[in-house]
Amino acid sequence: MTEPREPRRRALLGAGLGLGGALTLGACSAGPDSGSPGVGAGVPSGATPPSESALPSPASSAASTLPEGVEVGVPGVSPFRVPNEEFFQIDTTRGLPRLDAARWSLRIHGMVEREITLTYAQLLARPLIERDITLSCVSNEVGGDLLGNAAWLGTRIAPILAEAGPSPEADMVLSKSFDGWTASTPLEVLTDSRDALFAIGMNREVLPQRNGFPVRMVVPGLYGFVSATKWVVDLE
């Protein structure tokens, strides 16, 4: 990864869900990858890389067609949907996790009626929706580049949490990333109508490794350090 213009901070996107506890996710940093090695195993020989994985179409609803005039074409003004390779990035480790979708799983446990474990195939078999959602790092300054909008493809988090059956006393979800990063998210915002997602696609491409492949959390209206866990593997 390219070094950001400021010291690295873990403030952004992440993964995981835990009921009654807290939920955790990733970090933010601008710039493309530098090709540094991944921090974890998880990619066996012959594993399908993100760029070659198949991306399903939204089974439920796609993002709205952009109206004429949204793209102003003015130098210095970002496009409405920021290209994946230009989307800001923040991480807590120098190496990106390299995960094989076929071996990925998400565990949901804690203050729930039933523990759930989902595979990547099971996640993709659920209704998928596509939504334009803007993410911003809490460290972004006015006019800064630590924010961006993209069309995210994924399945809603709320129905999955409903299947787990949170305890009435549960009020927070702790999400954990494969690289150990955690985030705490209010249960209420993951279960309301804002379309919080387990995202598997970005701008009609497979979710890039640098942005959380195979699965990350995307929650409208919250800063990433309390909602946007990349490489999510656990919710409690």
Side-chain angles (χ1 to χ4, degrees), residues 15-175:
L17 122 81
L19 307 173
L23 174 54
T24 319
L25 41 108
C28 8
S29 74
D33 302 331
S34 65
S36 53
V39 299
V43 181
S45 177
T48 302
S51 60
E52 298 179 13
S53 301
L55 183 66
S57 299
S60 300
S61 61
S64 301
T65 301
L66 298 184
E68 185 177 353
V70 166
E71 303 295 2
V72 295
V74 176
V77 177
S78 300
F80 182 78
R81 291 174 180 158
V82 178
N84 293 356
E85 64 275 10
E86 298 176 13
F87 206 89
F88 78 96
Q89 175 187 351
I90 295 184
D91 303 291
T92 56
T93 58
R94 287 189 174 274
L96 295 179
R98 295 174 298 151
L99 304 180
D100 179 23
R103 300 174 63 183
W104 174 88
S105 64
L106 172 67
R107 181 190 179 206
I108 300 173
H109 60 108
M111 297 173 63
V112 296
E113 295 179 3
R114 61 196 69 82
E115 182 174 320
I116 295 176
T117 298
L118 294 172
T119 66
Y120 189 69
Q122 289 172 332
L123 202 68
L124 264 62
R126 291 175 171 269
L128 298 175
I129 62 174
E130 185 182 51
R131 294 290 183 266
D132 278 301
I133 298 172
T134 300
L135 298 181
S136 175
C137 181
V138 68
S139 300
N140 191 54
E141 300 177 353
V142 175
D145 57 5
L146 296 182
L147 98 169
N149 184 76
W152 303 94
L153 175 68
T155 190
R156 295 183 66 243
I157 295 174
I160 296 176
L161 293 184
E163 292 175 20
S167 165
E169 290 76 33
D171 61 0
M172 298 291 288
V173 175
L174 178 69
S175 59

